[in-house]
Amino acid sequence: MPYQPPPELAGLTLDEIAEQVAARKLPPVEEWRPESTGDSHMRIAADGTWYHDGGPITRHAMVRAFSGLVTRDDDGRHWLVTPFEKLSIEVEDAAFMATDVVRRGGDLAFRLNTDELIVAGPDNPLRAAGEIEAPAIYLAVRRGCEARLNRSTWQQLAEIALSEGDGRTVASQGETFPLLPR
């Protein structure tokens, strides 16, 4: 079946966003205990482009499939986990990129470069890093992995913060998140 991208985030209601979040069936990576480890020869560049053996992976469906297998351990190393192998994967910055954000019903919904939707909140907090002059905002995705907000998404989030207050924080699912590093 050919890959069908979801509709634009701006056109979705909160119920439609929640439905898409719930519909994403991820493999039970946490339950797998592969005995073999190795190197996947894969790299995720800082701009979110996936590479294998030095060449970009151009099939979006492949990137989307692999993204469901990525984990990050307590030492900050990223792994591609299958039932049979645990393969290292080089990640230059974050495993995902957040490419869009919208405010719906008091919550912030983000679209990732894998077309997944993540709602910021207690389970998926936002984190400000970097310097005050050049902040970087990250969204917790799953299994220790994060999405870095790309420039336009950071701008969208800043506009939301300015329209709702002093521009220094945003709230979603009852949690308040700083937009500037401390």
Side-chain angles (χ1 to χ4, degrees), residues 40-60 62-71 78-80 89-91 94-97 113-114 116 142:
S40 69
H41 305 282
M42 295 176 80
R43 175 175 62 91
I44 303 173
D47 69 357
T49 303
W50 286 58
Y51 292 87
H52 183 257
D53 283 334
I57 299 174
T58 57
R59 291 187 55 213
H60 188 72
M62 292 297 294
V63 169
R64 186 170 161 83
F66 286 135
S67 73
L69 302 173
V70 176
T71 67
H78 289 80
W79 300 92
L80 197 64
I89 182 168
E90 179 187 345
V91 176
F96 302 93
M97 291 293 292
N113 59 325
T114 55
E116 294 174 71
R142 64 175 163 273

Side-chain angles (χ1 to χ4, degrees), residues 37-146:
T37 60
D39 184 358
S40 69
H41 305 282
M42 295 176 80
R43 175 175 62 91
I44 303 173
D47 69 357
T49 303
W50 286 58
Y51 292 87
H52 183 257
D53 283 334
I57 299 174
T58 57
R59 291 187 55 213
H60 188 72
M62 292 297 294
V63 169
R64 186 170 161 83
F66 286 135
S67 73
L69 302 173
V70 176
T71 67
R72 184 172 145 205
D73 65 21
D74 293 337
D75 295 326
R77 295 176 302 205
H78 289 80
W79 300 92
L80 197 64
V81 180
T82 73
F84 309 103
E85 293 181 298
K86 181 179 178 180
L87 304 172
S88 64
I89 182 168
E90 179 187 345
V91 176
E92 290 180 0
D93 186 5
F96 302 93
M97 291 293 292
T99 60
D100 196 11
V101 63
V102 66
R103 168 72 79 194
R104 287 290 184 270
D107 295 333
L108 294 166
F110 292 84
R111 180 179 306 283
L112 305 183
N113 59 325
T114 55
D115 288 334
E116 294 174 71
L117 299 179
I118 304 288
V119 178
D123 294 332
N124 303 99
L126 290 166
R127 175 177 70 87
E131 303 294 323
I132 296 273
E133 301 80 31
I137 307 295
Y138 294 87
L139 171 68
V141 176
R142 64 175 163 273
R143 301 180 191 129
C145 295
E146 294 180 310

